Every structure is written in structure tokens, then in C-alpha cells.
């Protein structure tokens, strides 16, 4: 399922580039949907598709819905702020830098991908194994 | 046709995210926990996706132009600077705190956990703060 899912994610990026000439970077598409009035429709439909496609996968394949988390809401807010700040300043997220940027052989995207992976790994290490946080 | 291309790509992308387990926070945090009970499966998601884009983008580059757009809109930045590294580091921290990156957070809106809505709203707020910082910096 991991491999099939990954193949589909890559295929979605190739389709968007081939048909619309656009990079399938979710953070960039989200910011563009909110700020670029003239070309916002394809972006909103892409974002809607992310939700609809996930729903379709769960409905068609009977995948279990992940259980709701038990952390305080403040964790979601802090994490969301960091993800928004970081992806805007760093010009991309897992999809834009990781899936698409590396697909373009971009050294800049490869560096960004290694950096956010290392930072994510370090954050989980500190929270779980140093501070003993319940995540 | 271009809006429909966005919809088609989004649906396939979201289907892939849900199928692969990327929209399950527990799996993502387990994947990032390489010093604990590491769950390496999501490495395969990234490897499979990048294999397809490396091959697929090479083919698309032979197209004179996209099917439904006048030209390709590709990033031109090449610099590896403090803004890129700092931004990626902050993003990784948020990813490690909660297990959501932007795409899976959207797909997970369907699961109905209200905290996911707060995550997405906070993410948009964070982007807005960053854009204000960028404006301030670029105007001295």
C-alpha cells in the first residue's frame, strides 16, 4: 500500500505538470489559492481533490479511518503555525521539495528535503525520548 | 480544462496519501521516530513517488507546452540560503510535533477531527505571518 500510494502521488504530480504546467506542491498551491485571484480555480479544485481523493480511498478500499488524536488542541495550533511559517519561508513542503523538486533534479530541493526530514526526526527524538511527551 | 486538471491531480494525490498512510499521524510520527520503534514503511512512499516524478518529468520536458496551459510555470530559485534552511527546519519541527505536513493535513480534514481544522487554520496563519516578514525584509 505504501508503494502503490507513492506511485499514485508521483503520477498526480506528473499529470499536473503535463496538463497544467504546474508543480504539485501543496503549500504553494494553498498560498496561491488564497492570494492569486486570477488563477485560483485550479488550485481550489486541487485542494478539494486532496480531500475527495482521500475520502474515495477510504470508501472504495475500506481503509480504516485513523483514530482522533489525544493531544491538547494547542499542539495542533503550534504545529500548524510552524508548518505554515516554515513552508512559506522555505518555499515548499514534502510535496513541492520532496516529490517534485527532487523529480526536477533540484539540489536546492534536495537540501530542503534533507533539512526538514532531519528536523522532524530531531523533534520527535527530543519530544518522545528526552522530554517523554505523550505523542 | 486546466481547473479539471487540478481536480484530477488532487484526487489522485489525495487517494495516494490516504492509501500510503501519510494521512495517519501515528504512522508519520512512527516513521520520524528512527531512534525509537521505527516504522520505515513511509520511506517506500517517498521512494516510489520520486521514482515516478524523476521518470515522468523527464518525459514531460519533451512536451513543447502543457496540454491545457500556454507554458510551464517552474520555480527558478537555485540558492541554498539561510531562508531556505531556516524555513525547512521550522517546517520539520512542526511536522515532528504533530505528524502532519500540508497535503496530508488537507486529506485528513475528511476524518472529522476538529483539531485538524485548527491545524489547517494555524498553518494558513503561519504562512500569512511569513509573508508579512518577507515583505518587511524585502522593503528594508
Amino acid at each position: 500500500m505504501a508503494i502503490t500510494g507513492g506511485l499514485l502521488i508521483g503520477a498526480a504530480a506528473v499529470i499536473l505538470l503535463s496538463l497544467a504546467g504546474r508543480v504539485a506542491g501543496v503549500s504553494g498551491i494553498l498560498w496561491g489559492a488564497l492570494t492569486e485571484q486570477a488563477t485560483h480555480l485550479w488550485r481550489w479544485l486541487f485542494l478539494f481533490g486532496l480531500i475527495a481523493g482521500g475520502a474515495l480511498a477510504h470508501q472504495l478500499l475500506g481503509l480504516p479511518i485513523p483514530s482522533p488524536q489525544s493531544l491538547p488542541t494547542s499542539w495542533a495550533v503550534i504545529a500548524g503555525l510552524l508548518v505554515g511559517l516554515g513552508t512559506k519561508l522555505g518555499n515548499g513542503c514534502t510535496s513541492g521539495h520532496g516529490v517534485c523538486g527532487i523529480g526536477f533534479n533540484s539540489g536546492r530541493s534536495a537540501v530542503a528535503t534533507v533539512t526538514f526530514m532531519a528536523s522532524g526526526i530531531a523533534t520527535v527524538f527530543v519530544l518522545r525520548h528526552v522530554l517523554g511527551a505523550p505523542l | 480544462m486546466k481547473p479539471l486538471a487540478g481536480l484530477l491531480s488532487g484526487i489522485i494525490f489525495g487517494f495516494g496519501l490516504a492509501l500510503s498512510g501519510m494521512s495517519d499521524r501515528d504512522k508519520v510520527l512512527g516513521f520520524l521516530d528512527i531512534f525509537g520503534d521505527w516504522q520505515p514503511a513511509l520511506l517506500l512512499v517517498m521512494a516510489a513517488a520520486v521514482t515516478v516524478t524523476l521518470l515522468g518529468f523527464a518525459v514531460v520536458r519533451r512536451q513543447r507546452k502543457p496540454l491545457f496551459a500556454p507554458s510551464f510555470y517552474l520555480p527558478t530559485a537555485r540558492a541554498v540560503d539561510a531562508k531556505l534552511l531556516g524555513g525547512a527546519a521550522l517546517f520539520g519541527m512542526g511536522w515532528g510535533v504533530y505528524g502532519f505536513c500540508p497535503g496530508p493535513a488537507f486529506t485528513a480534514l475528511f476524518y472529522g477531527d476538529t483539531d485538524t481544522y485548527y491545524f489547517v487554520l494555524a498553518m494558513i496563519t503561519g504562512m500569512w505571518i511569513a509573508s508579512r516578514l518577507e515583505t518587511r525584509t524585502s522593503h528594508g
Side-chain angles (χ1 to χ4, degrees):
Chain A
M1 295 210 301
I3 293 177
T4 314
L7 294 174
L8 287 172
I9 292 168
V14 173
I15 287 170
L16 191 67
L17 186 70
S18 178
L19 300 186
R22 295 282 182 170
V23 175
V26 177
S27 58
I29 289 175
L30 171 60
W31 184 248
L34 295 167
T35 57
E36 310 254 337
Q37 293 301 319
T39 56
H40 65 297
L41 183 58
W42 74 269
R43 292 186 171 95
W44 282 114
L45 286 172
F46 179 91
L47 295 171
F48 170 76
L50 285 181
I51 305 171
L56 207 62
H58 285 281
Q59 293 293 330
L60 290 180
L61 307 175
L63 303 173
I65 301 288
S67 50
Q69 55 83 30
S70 50
L71 294 167
T73 300
S74 55
W75 285 60
V77 172
I78 291 166
L81 280 171
L82 286 167
V83 169
L85 258 175
T87 53
K88 182 76 179 74
L89 292 174
N91 293 106
C93 56
T94 330
S95 50
H97 280 310
V99 175
C100 293
I102 294 178
F104 283 119
N105 294 302
S106 160
R108 176 178 149 88
S109 284
V111 170
T113 303
V114 169
T115 305
F116 65 66
M117 296 279 300
S119 170
I121 288 167
T123 301
V124 170
F125 175 76
V126 170
L127 288 175
R128 274 194 182 174
H129 303 298
V130 179
L131 302 176
L135 58 84
Chain B
M1 287 305 284
K2 188 173 166 183
L4 288 181
L7 180 65
L8 176 70
S9 173
I11 288 174
I12 296 170
F13 207 115
F15 197 103
L17 286 173
L19 179 61
S20 66
M22 282 293 293
S23 56
D24 185 338
R25 295 171 50 261
D26 289 338
K27 285 187 184 167
V28 175
L29 292 174
F31 166 67
L32 292 173
D33 191 12
I34 62 172
F35 299 109
D37 181 19
W38 190 40
Q39 297 165 46
L42 295 190
L43 207 56
L44 296 173
V45 181
M46 197 68 172
V50 168
T51 304
V52 173
T53 52
L54 276 170
L55 296 173
F57 286 179
V59 174
V60 172
R61 279 179 168 196
R62 295 188 192 169
Q63 288 177 217
R64 209 164 38 80
K65 65 180 203 59
L67 211 51
F68 305 133
S71 59
F72 290 100
Y73 304 87
L74 302 179
T76 51
R78 289 284 174 270
V80 175
D81 52 17
K83 187 159 164 280
L84 178 80
L85 296 175
L90 284 176
F91 161 43
M93 283 174 65
W95 197 26
V97 167
Y98 207 69
F100 275 154
C101 50
F106 260 90
T107 299
L109 287 174
F110 166 70
Y111 304 153
D113 183 347
T114 47
D115 279 4
T116 306
Y117 295 89
Y118 289 120
F119 179 94
V120 170
L121 287 175
M123 180 167 74
I124 293 169
T125 308
M127 288 178 170
W128 179 78
I129 294 170
S131 82
R132 295 298 298 263
L133 289 173
E134 286 171 338
T135 312
R136 187 168 298 180
T137 315
S138 63
H139 292 291

